[in-house]
Amino acid sequence: MTLEIGKRNKLGYFIEDLWTQGFKLTDENIRFIYLGKNSTNAEDWKVIKALKVTLQLKVEFDGSFYLSVLELLAHSTVRDAGEANHLLREKGLYIK
């Protein structure tokens, strides 16, 4: 049962991991992240990928940039992280 809950809430665990690593998102940032997730109907892994790209390129949370990356991923046909990395590389948004 616990494993199943973890699978359903990967985004929440990722945000908690950011917190424990010292990166503090505000409540407003977190609400915006979930608003983007819900408005694009994106899977958690795409939301996490968009959040990682945003934080790597902007060094802080930038809501409009995050939403642009998320929309790119959500409205594409990528099925896994490898395809997402390829797409992001094509757009000049990929950092290892």
Side-chain angles (χ1 to χ4, degrees):
M1 177 113 173
T2 304
L3 182 59
E4 186 176 320
I5 292 170
K7 286 182 180 179
R8 288 186 300 197
N9 197 14
K10 289 180 183 178
L11 179 56
Y13 285 119
F14 178 74
I15 292 170
E16 281 186 30
D17 285 343
L18 287 175
W19 184 270
T20 61
Q21 293 172 18
F23 192 86
K24 312 289 192 229
L25 292 167
T26 66
D27 289 343
E28 183 178 321
N29 295 152
I30 294 170
R31 282 192 295 272
F32 192 83
I33 290 166
Y34 278 96
L35 175 69
K37 174 184 171 30
N38 293 332
S39 67
T40 60
N41 200 28
E43 299 168 75
D44 278 3
W45 74 268
K46 289 182 179 182
V47 177
I48 291 168
K49 177 61 92 176
L51 189 51
K52 283 181 179 180
V53 169
T54 299
L55 298 176
Q56 287 175 339
L57 293 175
K58 296 295 184 173
V59 188
E60 63 183 20
F61 184 75
D62 178 333
S64 62
F65 186 83
Y66 156 77
L67 194 53
S68 296
V69 175
L70 180 58
E71 287 176 341
L72 172 67
L73 293 173
H75 299 302
S76 69
T77 58
V78 296
R79 295 171 299 211
D80 58 36
E83 290 179 5
N85 291 341
H86 181 74
L87 175 63
L88 293 168
R89 208 174 283 114
E90 285 180 348
K91 301 294 183 183
L93 298 172
Y94 181 73
I95 295 178
K96 272 192 169 183

